[in-house]
Amino acid sequence: MAPLPLLALRATPSLPVRQAAGGVAIVLVLLAWYLLTSGATPEARAISPSVFPSPGEVIKGFPSLVTERNLVGGIAASLNRVFLGFGLALLVAIPLGIVAGSFRLFGAAAQPISLFGRTIPVAALLPLSLQMFGIGELQKVMFIFLATAPFIFHDTARAIVGVEDRYVDTARTLGASSSHVMAKVLIPLALPDIYAMIRAMFGIAFGYIMLAEVVDAGAGLGYILLQSQRRGMPEHLVGTLFVISALAYGIDALFRFFERGFFPYRRSHE
Amino acid sequence: MSDAASPDITPAAAGAPATATAGGATQETTTVVEFTQVGKTYDTGYTAIKDVTFRVDDVPGHMEIVGILGPSGCGKSTVLRLIAGLTPQHPATTGIVKVMGKPVEAPGADRGFVFQDYTSFDHRTVEQNIAFGLECRGTPANERLELARDWIQKVGLDVKRDADKYPHELSGGMRQRVALARTLVLKPRVILMDEPFGALDPKTRYAMQDQLVALSREVQATVFLVTHSIEEAVYVGDRLFVFSNAPGTILQEMSIPAPDRPARVMQREPDFLDIVFSVRDLVEGLEMYDRAGT
């Protein structure tokens, strides 16, 4: 029997069908969640309320998550740390990446160090950051810096190297000097790729901050998560996860929105 | 062209030395490009060209267009890139490459280059692309804008419609017009063109050939045109270099009538076709000779 057209290998369904598929999956997961966590008494539930809350409990717990647990302050604290650490990483690593991509000798020199920085698992940097920067705000910021700077450096250099020689040749035959080539050709042509990298890396940095906040944070989304677990408030824990996901999606949408304005000449927007 | 009323530019008879002074008048000639026993062997051991020797003079009022023909991989592009001073072809392994009497050391705006691949800067509009070289030269903004708009028109684009377009909004023909304008606005002494019209449809190609002839005369530039199309080389060229296969070297140099009618008209005339056929026979003969391994 021939397979249904929608189930054929690599067949692309229409957008409404794809959206409907996503919607159905959400409903199924919610339904399973509801069924596994429903029951008149805690004993009657397939999963105990102390292990995982029901959807209703998460919704009911939301107001207290905002008021008692200072959700908004937590979001601000986390974002502030990411902005500082990530911003610092951009300021340091992008110029270095541009130099490494433009002058291959510097690139070759930086290669082993950059490789070291990129192969260290991010969680392994946590003890070092505590050792070096204590347990205060500085440690949170520097953790984000250490975790992201090697990647930002590497990807920036790669974007610059990726600019095809024919553009450089063209610029040269139009009388461009080396600094002209860098400022008017290499950097502008690599910028869309660099921006795409920043967008992806910011999402990752936002994830990393939760890791740093499980240590004596005092505030922040990671702190709320940890406290909710310790205090036995799973409805706050799960509620915060939804907030984090929505926030990450919102920030990425913002990046996408600005991408269109920054790079009107990119084909991909058509 | 304003000088269309003047008598046809008399081409040197085929076989005559190309350095002959035009009209016999005592005009001063300078050598624009000179290759003396130039060879290029890469680090890999591959020899692209060998013993290439030629000389293209500048006779005031008679700018030459040199068509370069030959099988693929015969080092035609190498010759252009050596004139331009572009690595890795530059520097030559042996021999001397001179432009305006001086050995080539680096690329410069005096030797414009139009590549086969589209090389418009994606982040710049048509106008900004054309103004690129002027910007590097330090021409004031209002002046370079004016010049850029001037050249948008000269290459057959429309200032109002096209000046603010980005390259991705342009057709292949329009992109090559931009590339031509971007080079010509700098008034280069030499224009190097590597298969610039290779990707264009025949109609656009004719139009571009005519534009090239008219505009190169206007800016008084010597043109080197590498092409696979014998018709194109015979139509546009005043002189032809026919290259042999790797390692490439000039096997035949010939003078041909300069283009004096539109490409679409001239390329259908029997006289023109006679030359094309004889060049084709020559090239095919060379290729066969080459394949024989001698």
Side-chain angles (χ1 to χ4, degrees):
Chain A
M1 204 182 91
L4 287 168
L6 282 177
L7 291 177
L9 187 67
R10 291 173 70 87
T12 308
S14 67
L15 182 65
V17 173
R18 296 204 301 273
Q19 285 170 335
V24 167
I26 290 177
V27 169
L28 285 178
V29 170
L30 284 176
L31 191 68
W33 179 15
Y34 174 78
L35 290 176
L36 287 169
T37 55
S38 67
T41 59
E43 293 75 25
R45 286 159 69 155
I47 297 176
S48 156
S50 64
V51 174
F52 208 86
S54 69
E57 285 160 356
V58 171
I59 292 168
K60 262 185 261 155
F62 202 77
S64 63
L65 178 62
V66 176
T67 54
E68 290 163 31
R69 311 297 304 284
N70 190 14
L71 178 70
V72 177
I75 292 172
S78 289
L79 283 180
N80 189 41
R81 289 166 185 148
V82 179
F83 281 137
L84 285 174
F86 191 67
L88 187 65
L90 293 181
L91 278 178
V92 172
I94 287 184
L96 287 177
I98 289 172
V99 171
S102 305
F103 302 97
R104 306 285 163 86
L105 183 66
F106 289 104
Q111 178 71 16
I113 303 165
S114 151
L115 188 69
F116 176 75
R118 285 179 290 125
T119 44
I120 300 270
V122 64
L125 283 172
L126 205 53
L128 180 72
S129 71
L130 289 167
Q131 178 79 38
M132 289 173 72
F133 306 108
I135 54 171
E137 282 303 299
L138 183 66
Q139 178 261 335
K140 315 277 179 290
V141 171
M142 290 312 289
F143 173 71
I144 295 296
F145 173 81
L146 288 175
T148 56
F151 292 93
I152 295 170
F153 168 80
H154 177 260
D155 287 7
T156 302
R158 203 174 49 178
I160 297 278
V161 170
V163 174
E164 289 179 52
D165 281 338
R166 59 195 163 109
Y167 293 108
V168 177
D169 287 348
T170 301
R172 289 277 189 200
T173 59
L174 293 169
S177 64
S178 291
S179 55
H180 285 143
V181 171
M182 270 183 83
K184 294 178 195 290
V185 180
L186 292 180
I187 295 174
L189 287 179
L191 214 52
D193 286 345
I194 294 176
Y195 185 87
M197 173 273 291
I198 292 174
R199 181 180 148 194
M201 282 306 300
F202 188 88
I204 293 171
F206 184 63
Y208 286 169
I209 194 62
M210 312 295 159
L211 207 56
E213 282 173 349
V214 299
V215 184
D216 201 46
L221 290 166
Y223 175 76
I224 295 176
L225 286 176
L226 193 73
Q227 293 300 309
S228 303
Q229 180 250 320
R230 285 188 181 159
R231 294 185 192 181
M233 301 174 91
E235 68 274 22
H236 282 175
L237 207 162
V238 174
T240 307
L241 290 181
F242 281 113
V243 169
I244 290 172
S245 170
L247 208 56
Y249 182 81
I251 291 169
D252 193 62
L254 218 58
F255 269 107
R256 239 178 312 151
F257 174 77
F258 282 116
E259 195 169 8
R260 266 174 227 136
F262 289 154
F263 311 112
Y265 49 88
R266 290 230 95 181
R267 243 176 236 274
S268 52
H269 298 314
E270 280 169 12
Chain B
M1 284 282 300
S2 55
D3 58 5
S6 66
D8 285 356
I9 298 162
T10 319
T19 50
T21 312
T26 52
Q27 283 172 305
E28 205 186 321
T29 62
T30 44
T31 302
V32 185
V33 177
E34 188 176 10
F35 270 50
T36 315
Q37 304 239 287
V38 176
K40 178 70 190 184
T41 302
Y42 293 98
D43 295 341
T44 55
Y46 174 72
T47 300
I49 57 169
K50 199 176 120 187
D51 277 342
V52 175
T53 299
F54 67 86
R55 199 175 136 179
V56 175
D57 285 343
D58 166 32
V59 184
H62 179 118
M63 295 306 136
E64 253 190 314
I65 301 185
V66 179
I68 302 181
L69 286 168
S72 312
C74 71
K76 295 173 298 209
S77 303
T78 305
V79 169
L80 291 197
R81 293 180 64 96
L82 279 169
I83 300 173
L86 291 170
T87 52
Q89 288 78 7
H90 172 83
T93 319
T94 56
I96 305 167
V97 178
K98 280 185 181 172
V99 172
M100 299 309 283
K102 284 189 203 131
V104 169
E105 275 164 9
D110 58 322
R111 285 150 289 144
F113 210 124
V114 179
F115 297 86
Q116 174 178 18
D117 294 326
Y118 304 138
T119 60
S120 301
F121 300 119
D122 292 341
H123 60 295
R124 288 171 166 256
T125 61
V126 166
E127 192 173 76
Q128 292 166 342
N129 259 289
I130 296 172
F132 181 90
L134 298 168
E135 212 177 291
C136 294
R137 194 178 273 182
T139 310
N142 52 349
E143 199 180 316
R144 65 178 187 245
L145 221 71
E146 204 175 302
L147 277 165
R149 292 199 172 150
D150 215 29
W151 276 96
I152 288 175
Q153 248 164 2
K154 281 185 182 170
V155 294
L157 296 174
D158 187 285
V159 174
K160 239 193 230 150
R161 197 189 56 208
D162 304 319
D164 294 326
K165 280 187 180 162
Y166 284 104
H168 76 263
E169 300 170 281
L170 304 177
S171 67
M174 287 164 95
R175 277 167 175 253
Q176 289 309 67
R177 284 175 203 274
V178 172
L180 198 58
R182 182 172 62 177
T183 299
L184 293 176
V185 71
L186 298 172
K187 298 250 172 359
R189 192 61 205 74
V190 178
I191 303 170
L192 306 159
M193 307 183 89
D194 195 352
E195 283 279 349
F197 313 138
L200 307 180
D201 63 87
K203 200 172 146 230
T204 312
R205 199 164 175 152
Y206 284 147
M208 293 297 289
Q209 290 168 0
D210 287 331
Q211 203 116 50
L212 168 67
V213 171
L215 294 175
S216 66
R217 283 175 184 165
E218 183 181 328
V219 300
Q220 300 268 299
T222 302
V223 179
F224 287 81
L225 176 77
V226 163
T227 177
H228 275 108
S229 158
I230 294 175
E231 285 86 352
E232 185 166 278
V234 171
Y235 171 67
V236 170
D238 302 273
R239 192 146 43 126
L240 289 185
F241 291 166
V242 180
F243 271 70
S244 72
N245 220 331
T249 194
I250 298 178
L251 279 183
Q252 185 96 27
E253 189 178 332
M254 58 201 299
S255 294
I256 44 172
D260 51 10
R261 278 148 291 169
R264 215 169 47 81
V265 177
M266 192 166 162
Q267 294 190 25
R268 286 177 186 173
E269 289 174 1
D271 289 354
F272 177 85
L273 292 172
D274 280 347
I275 302 177
V276 169
F277 292 142
S278 61
V279 173
R280 176 156 292 146
D281 288 345
L282 175 74
V283 172
E284 281 170 4
L286 289 174
E287 280 175 352
M288 252 146 55
Y289 178 78
D290 204 60
R291 270 199 291 273
T294 6

Coordinates of all heavy atoms in Angstrom, one line a residue, chain B residues 112-168:
Chain B
G112 N 41.5 48.5 -13.7 CA 40.2 48.0 -13.2 C 40.0 46.5 -13.6 O 40.6 46.1 -14.6
F113 N 39.1 45.8 -12.9 CA 38.9 44.4 -13.2 C 37.4 44.2 -13.1 O 36.7 44.5 -12.2 CB 39.6 43.6 -12.1 CG 40.0 42.2 -12.6 CD1 41.4 41.8 -12.5 CD2 39.1 41.3 -13.1 CE1 41.8 40.6 -12.9 CE2 39.5 40.1 -13.6 CZ 40.9 39.7 -13.4
V114 N 36.9 43.5 -14.1 CA 35.5 43.1 -14.1 C 35.5 41.5 -14.1 O 36.0 41.0 -15.1 CB 34.7 43.6 -15.3 CG1 33.2 43.1 -15.2 CG2 34.7 45.2 -15.3
F115 N 35.0 41.0 -13.1 CA 35.1 39.5 -12.9 C 33.8 38.8 -13.6 O 32.8 39.5 -13.7 CB 35.2 39.1 -11.5 CG 36.4 39.6 -10.8 CD1 36.4 40.9 -10.3 CD2 37.5 38.8 -10.7 CE1 37.6 41.4 -9.6 CE2 38.7 39.3 -10.0 CZ 38.7 40.6 -9.5
Q116 N 34.0 37.5 -13.8 CA 32.8 36.8 -14.3 C 31.8 36.6 -13.2 O 30.6 36.8 -13.4 CB 33.2 35.4 -14.8 CG 32.0 34.6 -15.2 CD 32.4 33.2 -15.7 OE1 33.5 32.7 -15.6 NE2 31.4 32.6 -16.4
D117 N 32.2 36.2 -12.0 CA 31.3 36.1 -10.9 C 30.8 37.5 -10.5 O 31.6 38.4 -10.6 CB 32.0 35.5 -9.7 CG 32.5 34.1 -9.9 OD1 31.7 33.4 -10.7 OD2 33.5 33.7 -9.4
Y118 N 29.6 37.5 -10.1 CA 29.1 38.8 -9.6 C 29.8 39.2 -8.4 O 29.8 38.5 -7.4 CB 27.6 38.7 -9.5 CG 26.9 38.3 -10.7 CD1 25.8 37.4 -10.6 CD2 27.2 38.7 -11.9 CE1 25.2 36.9 -11.7 CE2 26.6 38.3 -13.1 CZ 25.6 37.4 -13.0 OH 25.0 37.0 -14.1
T119 N 30.4 40.4 -8.3 CA 31.1 40.8 -7.2 C 30.6 42.1 -6.6 O 31.3 42.8 -5.9 CB 32.6 41.0 -7.4 OG1 32.7 42.0 -8.5 CG2 33.2 39.7 -7.9
S120 N 29.3 42.5 -6.9 CA 28.7 43.6 -6.3 C 28.7 43.4 -4.8 O 28.5 42.3 -4.3 CB 27.3 43.8 -6.7 OG 27.2 44.0 -8.1
F121 N 29.0 44.5 -4.0 CA 29.0 44.4 -2.6 C 27.5 44.4 -2.1 O 26.8 45.3 -2.3 CB 29.8 45.6 -2.0 CG 31.2 45.6 -2.4 CD1 31.7 46.7 -3.1 CD2 32.0 44.6 -2.1 CE1 33.0 46.7 -3.5 CE2 33.4 44.6 -2.5 CZ 33.9 45.7 -3.2
D122 N 27.2 43.3 -1.5 CA 25.7 43.0 -1.2 C 25.1 44.1 -0.3 O 23.9 44.3 -0.3 CB 25.6 41.7 -0.4 CG 25.9 40.5 -1.4 OD1 25.8 40.7 -2.6 OD2 26.2 39.4 -0.9
H123 N 26.0 44.7 0.5 CA 25.5 45.7 1.5 C 25.4 47.1 1.0 O 25.0 48.0 1.7 CB 26.3 45.6 2.8 CG 27.7 46.0 2.5 ND1 28.6 45.3 1.8 CD2 28.4 47.1 2.9 CE1 29.8 45.9 1.7 NE2 29.7 47.0 2.4
R124 N 25.7 47.3 -0.3 CA 25.7 48.6 -0.8 C 24.7 48.7 -2.0 O 24.6 47.7 -2.7 CB 27.1 48.9 -1.4 CG 28.1 49.2 -0.3 CD 29.5 49.3 -0.9 NE 30.4 49.9 0.1 CZ 30.8 51.1 0.0 NH1 30.5 52.0 -0.9 NH2 31.6 51.6 1.0
T125 N 24.0 49.8 -2.1 CA 23.1 50.0 -3.2 C 23.9 50.2 -4.5 O 25.1 50.3 -4.4 CB 22.3 51.2 -3.0 OG1 23.1 52.4 -2.9 CG2 21.5 51.2 -1.7
V126 N 23.2 50.2 -5.6 CA 23.9 50.4 -6.9 C 24.8 51.6 -6.9 O 26.0 51.6 -7.2 CB 22.8 50.5 -8.0 CG1 23.4 51.0 -9.3 CG2 22.1 49.2 -8.2
E127 N 24.2 52.7 -6.4 CA 24.9 54.0 -6.3 C 26.2 53.8 -5.4 O 27.2 54.3 -5.8 CB 23.9 55.0 -5.7 CG 24.3 56.4 -5.8 CD 23.1 57.2 -5.3 OE1 22.9 57.3 -4.1 OE2 22.4 57.7 -6.2
Q128 N 26.0 53.2 -4.3 CA 27.1 53.1 -3.3 C 28.2 52.1 -3.9 O 29.4 52.3 -3.6 CB 26.6 52.6 -2.0 CG 25.8 53.6 -1.3 CD 25.0 53.0 -0.1 OE1 24.8 51.8 0.0 NE2 24.5 53.8 0.8
N129 N 27.7 51.1 -4.6 CA 28.7 50.2 -5.2 C 29.6 50.9 -6.2 O 30.8 50.8 -6.3 CB 27.9 49.1 -6.0 CG 27.9 47.8 -5.1 OD1 29.0 47.1 -5.0 ND2 26.8 47.5 -4.6
I130 N 28.9 51.8 -7.1 CA 29.7 52.5 -8.1 C 30.6 53.5 -7.5 O 31.7 53.8 -8.0 CB 28.7 53.1 -9.1 CG1 27.9 52.0 -9.8 CG2 29.4 54.0 -10.1 CD1 26.8 52.5 -10.7
A131 N 30.2 54.0 -6.3 CA 31.0 55.1 -5.7 C 32.1 54.5 -4.8 O 32.9 55.2 -4.3 CB 30.1 56.0 -4.8
F132 N 32.2 53.2 -4.7 CA 33.2 52.5 -3.8 C 34.6 53.0 -4.0 O 35.3 53.4 -3.1 CB 33.1 51.0 -4.0 CG 34.0 50.3 -3.1 CD1 33.6 49.9 -1.8 CD2 35.3 50.0 -3.4 CE1 34.5 49.2 -0.9 CE2 36.2 49.3 -2.6 CZ 35.8 48.9 -1.3
G133 N 35.1 53.0 -5.3 CA 36.4 53.3 -5.5 C 36.7 54.8 -5.3 O 37.8 55.2 -4.8
L134 N 35.7 55.6 -5.6 CA 35.8 57.1 -5.3 C 35.9 57.3 -3.8 O 36.7 58.2 -3.3 CB 34.6 57.8 -5.9 CG 34.5 57.7 -7.4 CD1 33.1 58.3 -7.8 CD2 35.6 58.5 -8.1
E135 N 35.1 56.5 -3.1 CA 35.2 56.6 -1.6 C 36.6 56.3 -1.1 O 37.1 57.0 -0.2 CB 34.2 55.6 -1.1 CG 33.5 56.0 0.2 CD 32.4 54.9 0.5 OE1 31.4 54.8 -0.2 OE2 32.7 54.2 1.5
C136 N 37.2 55.3 -1.6 CA 38.5 54.9 -1.2 C 39.5 56.0 -1.6 O 40.5 56.2 -0.9 CB 38.9 53.6 -1.8 SG 38.0 52.2 -1.3
R137 N 39.2 56.6 -2.7 CA 40.1 57.7 -3.2 C 40.0 58.9 -2.4 O 40.9 59.8 -2.4 CB 39.8 57.9 -4.6 CG 40.8 58.7 -5.4 CD 40.3 58.8 -6.9 NE 40.7 57.6 -7.6 CZ 40.5 57.5 -9.0 NH1 39.8 58.4 -9.6 NH2 40.9 56.5 -9.6
G138 N 38.9 59.1 -1.6 CA 38.7 60.3 -0.8 C 37.9 61.4 -1.5 O 38.0 62.5 -1.1
T139 N 37.2 61.0 -2.6 CA 36.4 62.0 -3.3 C 35.3 62.5 -2.4 O 34.6 61.6 -1.7 CB 35.8 61.4 -4.6 OG1 36.8 60.8 -5.3 CG2 35.1 62.4 -5.5
P140 N 35.0 63.8 -2.3 CA 33.9 64.2 -1.4 C 32.6 63.6 -1.8 O 32.3 63.3 -3.0 CB 33.9 65.8 -1.7 CG 35.2 66.1 -2.3 CD 35.7 64.9 -3.0
A141 N 31.7 63.4 -0.8 CA 30.5 62.7 -0.9 C 29.6 63.2 -2.1 O 29.1 62.4 -2.9 CB 29.7 62.7 0.4
N142 N 29.4 64.5 -2.1 CA 28.5 65.0 -3.2 C 29.0 64.8 -4.6 O 28.3 64.5 -5.5 CB 28.1 66.5 -2.9 CG 29.3 67.3 -2.8 OD1 30.4 66.8 -2.6 ND2 29.2 68.6 -2.8
E143 N 30.3 64.9 -4.7 CA 31.0 64.7 -6.0 C 30.9 63.3 -6.4 O 30.6 63.0 -7.6 CB 32.4 65.2 -5.9 CG 33.1 65.5 -7.2 CD 34.5 65.9 -7.0 OE1 34.8 66.7 -6.0 OE2 35.4 65.4 -7.7
R144 N 31.1 62.4 -5.5 CA 31.1 61.0 -5.9 C 29.7 60.5 -6.2 O 29.5 59.6 -7.1 CB 31.8 60.1 -4.9 CG 31.2 60.0 -3.6 CD 32.0 59.0 -2.7 NE 31.3 58.8 -1.5 CZ 31.8 59.1 -0.3 NH1 33.0 59.7 -0.1 NH2 31.1 58.9 0.8
L145 N 28.7 61.1 -5.5 CA 27.3 60.7 -5.8 C 27.0 61.2 -7.2 O 26.3 60.4 -8.0 CB 26.4 61.4 -4.8 CG 25.3 60.5 -4.3 CD1 25.8 59.5 -3.4 CD2 24.3 61.4 -3.5
E146 N 27.4 62.3 -7.6 CA 27.1 62.9 -8.9 C 27.7 62.0 -10.0 O 27.1 61.7 -11.0 CB 27.7 64.3 -9.0 CG 27.0 65.2 -10.0 CD 27.5 66.6 -9.8 OE1 27.5 67.2 -8.7 OE2 28.1 67.1 -10.9
L147 N 29.0 61.7 -9.8 CA 29.7 60.8 -10.7 C 29.1 59.5 -10.8 O 28.9 58.9 -11.9 CB 31.2 60.7 -10.3 CG 32.1 61.8 -10.7 CD1 33.4 61.7 -9.9 CD2 32.4 61.7 -12.2
A148 N 28.7 58.9 -9.7 CA 28.0 57.6 -9.7 C 26.8 57.6 -10.5 O 26.5 56.7 -11.3 CB 27.8 57.1 -8.2
R149 N 26.0 58.6 -10.3 CA 24.7 58.8 -11.0 C 24.9 58.9 -12.5 O 24.2 58.4 -13.3 CB 23.9 59.9 -10.5 CG 23.4 59.7 -9.1 CD 22.3 60.5 -8.6 NE 21.9 60.1 -7.4 CZ 21.3 60.8 -6.4 NH1 21.1 62.1 -6.7 NH2 20.9 60.3 -5.3
D150 N 26.0 59.7 -12.8 CA 26.4 59.9 -14.2 C 26.6 58.5 -14.8 O 26.1 58.2 -15.9 CB 27.7 60.7 -14.2 CG 27.7 61.6 -15.3 OD1 26.7 62.0 -15.8 OD2 28.9 61.9 -15.7
W151 N 27.4 57.7 -14.1 CA 27.7 56.4 -14.7 C 26.6 55.4 -14.6 O 26.6 54.4 -15.5 CB 29.0 55.9 -14.0 CG 30.2 56.5 -14.6 CD1 30.9 57.6 -14.2 CD2 30.8 56.0 -15.9 NE1 31.9 57.8 -15.1 CE2 31.9 56.9 -16.1 CE3 30.6 55.0 -16.8 CZ2 32.7 56.8 -17.2 CZ3 31.4 54.9 -17.9 CH2 32.4 55.8 -18.1
I152 N 25.7 55.5 -13.7 CA 24.5 54.7 -13.7 C 23.8 54.8 -15.1 O 23.4 53.8 -15.7 CB 23.5 55.0 -12.6 CG1 24.1 54.6 -11.3 CG2 22.2 54.4 -12.8 CD1 23.3 55.0 -10.1
Q153 N 23.7 56.1 -15.5 CA 23.1 56.3 -16.8 C 23.9 55.8 -18.0 O 23.4 55.2 -18.9 CB 22.9 57.8 -17.0 CG 21.4 58.2 -16.9 CD 21.2 59.7 -16.7 OE1 22.2 60.4 -16.6 NE2 20.0 60.0 -16.6
K154 N 25.2 56.1 -17.9 CA 26.1 55.7 -19.0 C 26.1 54.2 -19.3 O 26.3 53.8 -20.5 CB 27.5 56.2 -18.7 CG 27.7 57.7 -19.0 CD 29.2 58.0 -18.8 CE 29.4 59.5 -19.1 NZ 30.7 60.0 -18.7
V155 N 25.9 53.4 -18.3 CA 25.9 52.0 -18.5 C 24.5 51.5 -18.8 O 24.3 50.2 -18.9 CB 26.6 51.1 -17.4 CG1 28.0 51.4 -17.3 CG2 25.8 51.4 -16.1
G156 N 23.6 52.4 -19.0 CA 22.2 52.0 -19.4 C 21.3 51.6 -18.3 O 20.3 50.9 -18.5
L157 N 21.6 52.0 -17.1 CA 20.6 51.8 -16.0 C 19.9 53.2 -15.7 O 20.3 54.2 -16.3 CB 21.4 51.4 -14.7 CG 22.1 50.0 -14.8 CD1 22.9 49.8 -13.5 CD2 21.1 48.9 -15.0
D158 N 18.9 53.1 -14.9 CA 18.0 54.2 -14.7 C 18.3 54.8 -13.3 O 18.1 54.0 -12.3 CB 16.6 53.8 -14.9 CG 15.6 55.0 -14.8 OD1 15.4 55.6 -13.7 OD2 15.2 55.4 -15.9
V159 N 18.7 56.0 -13.2 CA 19.0 56.6 -11.8 C 17.8 56.5 -10.9 O 17.9 56.0 -9.8 CB 19.4 58.1 -11.9 CG1 19.6 58.6 -10.6 CG2 20.7 58.2 -12.8
K160 N 16.7 56.9 -11.3 CA 15.5 56.9 -10.5 C 15.1 55.5 -10.0 O 14.8 55.2 -8.9 CB 14.3 57.5 -11.2 CG 13.8 58.8 -10.5 CD 12.4 59.2 -11.0 CE 12.4 60.7 -11.4 NZ 11.6 61.0 -12.5
R161 N 15.1 54.6 -11.0 CA 14.6 53.3 -10.7 C 15.7 52.4 -10.0 O 15.3 51.6 -9.2 CB 14.3 52.6 -12.1 CG 13.4 51.4 -12.0 CD 13.3 50.7 -13.4 NE 14.6 50.4 -13.9 CZ 14.9 50.4 -15.2 NH1 14.0 50.6 -16.1 NH2 16.1 50.1 -15.6
D162 N 16.9 52.5 -10.4 CA 17.9 51.6 -9.9 C 18.9 52.0 -8.9 O 19.6 51.2 -8.2 CB 18.7 51.1 -11.2 CG 17.8 50.5 -12.2 OD1 16.9 49.8 -11.9 OD2 18.1 50.8 -13.4
A163 N 19.1 53.3 -8.7 CA 20.2 53.8 -7.9 C 20.2 53.3 -6.5 O 21.2 53.0 -5.9 CB 20.2 55.3 -7.8
D164 N 19.0 53.1 -5.9 CA 18.9 52.7 -4.5 C 18.6 51.2 -4.4 O 18.3 50.7 -3.3 CB 17.8 53.5 -3.8 CG 18.1 54.9 -3.7 OD1 19.3 55.2 -3.5 OD2 17.2 55.8 -3.8
K165 N 18.7 50.4 -5.5 CA 18.5 49.0 -5.4 C 19.7 48.3 -4.8 O 20.8 48.8 -5.0 CB 18.2 48.4 -6.8 CG 16.8 48.6 -7.2 CD 16.5 47.9 -8.5 CE 15.0 48.1 -8.9 NZ 14.8 47.8 -10.3
Y166 N 19.5 47.2 -4.1 CA 20.6 46.4 -3.6 C 20.9 45.3 -4.7 O 20.0 44.9 -5.5 CB 20.2 45.7 -2.3 CG 20.3 46.7 -1.1 CD1 19.2 47.2 -0.6 CD2 21.5 47.0 -0.6 CE1 19.3 48.1 0.5 CE2 21.6 47.9 0.4 CZ 20.5 48.5 1.0 OH 20.6 49.3 2.0
P167 N 22.1 44.8 -4.7 CA 22.5 43.8 -5.8 C 21.5 42.6 -5.9 O 21.2 42.2 -7.0 CB 23.8 43.3 -5.3 CG 24.4 44.5 -4.6 CD 23.3 45.2 -3.9
H168 N 20.9 42.2 -4.8 CA 20.1 41.0 -4.9 C 18.8 41.3 -5.7 O 18.1 40.4 -6.1 CB 19.8 40.3 -3.6 CG 18.8 41.1 -2.8 ND1 19.1 42.0 -1.8 CD2 17.4 41.1 -2.8 CE1 18.0 42.5 -1.2 NE2 17.0 41.9 -1.8

